[in-house]
Amino acid sequence: MTLEDKCNKMTDIMAAFIGHTTVRLPDDVISRLNELRAAEDDPAALSIYDMMFENIRLASELGRPSCQDTGLAQFRIDCGSSFPLLAQLEEILTAAVKKATEETPLRPNAVETFDEINTGTNTGTGAPSISWNIVPSWDGCAITTYLAGGGCSLPGHAAVLMPGEGYEGVVRFVLDRIAEYGPNACPPLLVGVGIANSVDTAAQLSKKALFRPVGSHNPNEKASAMESMLEDGINKMGIGPQGLGGKASVLGVNIENAVRHTATLGVGVSLSCWTHRRGKIVFSKDLGFNTDTHAGFTYGQ
Ligand code: SF4
């Protein structure tokens, strides 16, 4: 197979996978929504969950996006240093987003800033957004996809706190943001929190946290305890599914952390909604693939 053939093959698979994740939510999100519905007894909340599951069923049966806002594509790449298409990945993902926009179809959401022109392709300057991690001595490539909707991206916020505000300050920062903007972001929410040195590192980690599976925990015991504490606290706000009240307001809280300067305490918050369209696909060097987020996804296999 020529290099061009390999690029075309990976583009086709990625376009199909992006389209599939637009239509079908990841297995862990569906499973958590089932758990939340089973634990709910508020009639209004139960009817919202019923509508969500009807929405999931119809999207799957009709092959249509699970929400009219199909978001903007963001990718996290963990690519082996010897993956054969490493140098072509950005071009491949850009072509895949354009193809998925036409074929799924996805709503064109990419507006060039200053020019204020919708590109029509969900690509453009800096889009799709890609964060990179090169894995030494590996010839495969793992790509996590995320379609960031407007309503759940709006509450995103980051700041650098005085270190004296401590972890209580971090909790207050997160809870204040959720109280103000959470109900409009189509809960139950997945809450990503980044704690680090500066505003940019904290914000990036808060988005990385959204790429982790629902129900996963930070390996640091204290960070994991804060995840549980924030989850309890946000649930006690009583926001409920779609903000109409109920026992659960979140799918979960994921924290990612890094070192901070002695004089700073950076904190970032990113939210995702109940249609948390995250997918993960892992390619081998010969472009075989598997996914642990969407059981049953096939393309030419
Ligand atoms: S927040 Fe999520 S569910 Fe709500 S409109 Fe946006 S993408 Fe759709």
Side-chain angles (χ1 to χ4, degrees):
M1 201 186 283
T2 65
L3 179 64
E4 188 182 354
D5 288 341
K6 288 179 188 169
C7 289
N8 288 339
K9 180 176 177 181
M10 191 168 177
T11 300
D12 290 348
I13 296 168
M14 283 308 303
F17 188 62
I18 293 165
H20 187 74
T21 62
T22 310
V23 170
R24 189 172 174 280
L25 297 183
D27 303 334
D28 57 341
V29 171
I30 293 177
S31 163
R32 176 55 55 91
L33 286 168
N34 267 310
E35 288 168 17
L36 299 183
R37 180 171 65 171
E40 187 55 78
D41 53 21
D42 180 274
L46 281 169
S47 74
I48 295 291
Y49 282 123
D50 287 346
M51 275 188 264
M52 288 173 175
F53 279 97
E54 177 71 349
N55 187 89
I56 289 168
R57 183 184 69 77
L58 286 171
S60 186
E61 279 180 18
L62 301 172
R64 293 187 190 155
S66 55
C67 178
Q68 41 77 35
D69 180 358
T70 50
L72 276 179
Q74 302 192 319
F75 299 103
R76 176 179 166 79
I77 299 178
D78 294 284
C79 189
S81 54
S82 49
F83 182 65
L85 301 182
L86 172 59
Q88 288 77 28
L89 268 181
E90 187 167 349
E91 195 183 321
I92 287 169
L93 292 176
T94 302
V97 170
K98 286 182 180 171
K99 192 169 160 68
T101 299
E102 274 186 33
E103 292 180 355
T104 306
L106 309 180
R107 191 176 81 180
N109 283 326
V111 176
E112 286 287 4
T113 44
F114 291 108
D115 296 334
E116 294 303 316
I117 292 169
N118 191 319
T119 65
T121 61
N122 283 313
T123 64
T125 309
S129 149
I130 303 174
S131 62
W132 293 85
N133 177 39
I134 302 300
V135 184
S137 308
W138 186 39
D139 57 11
C141 180
I143 301 176
T144 307
T145 63
Y146 174 58
L147 294 163
C152 54
S153 295
L154 269 171
H157 197 39
V160 181
L161 308 182
M162 294 294 283
E165 293 187 60
Y167 293 94
E168 295 84 352
V170 170
V171 169
R172 192 179 313 114
F173 182 88
V174 174
L175 294 183
D176 283 352
R177 202 67 190 171
I178 304 283
E180 193 169 358
Y181 289 95
N184 292 329
C186 296
L189 308 164
L190 183 62
V191 181
V193 178
I195 303 173
N197 170 44
S198 53
V199 76
D200 55 320
T201 53
Q204 283 168 7
L205 286 175
S206 71
K207 181 51 69 78
K208 185 183 174 196
L210 293 183
F211 287 23
R212 257 178 41 204
V214 171
S216 63
H217 289 285
N218 188 300
N220 180 297
E221 270 182 31
K222 291 176 183 169
S224 178
M226 186 185 274
E227 288 174 339
S228 301
M229 189 177 63
L230 279 170
E231 186 169 331
D232 288 348
I234 298 168
N235 283 337
K236 281 184 179 139
M237 288 180 181
I239 297 169
Q242 290 294 10
L244 294 178
K247 285 187 177 171
S249 304
V250 293
L251 299 167
V253 177
N254 292 349
I255 296 177
E256 290 287 309
N257 59 299
V259 294
R260 62 176 183 83
H261 188 285
T262 53
T264 68
L265 181 56
V267 55
V269 184
S270 292
L271 298 185
S272 189
C273 55
W274 76 273
T275 54
H276 178 52
R277 293 150 303 177
R278 178 190 105 262
K280 185 173 181 185
I281 186 165
V282 182
F283 287 91
S284 59
K285 66 176 181 189
D286 59 1
L287 301 185
F289 63 86
N290 61 69
T291 167
D292 60 7
T293 54
H294 291 77
F297 170 74
T298 56
Y299 185 84
Q301 286 181 316

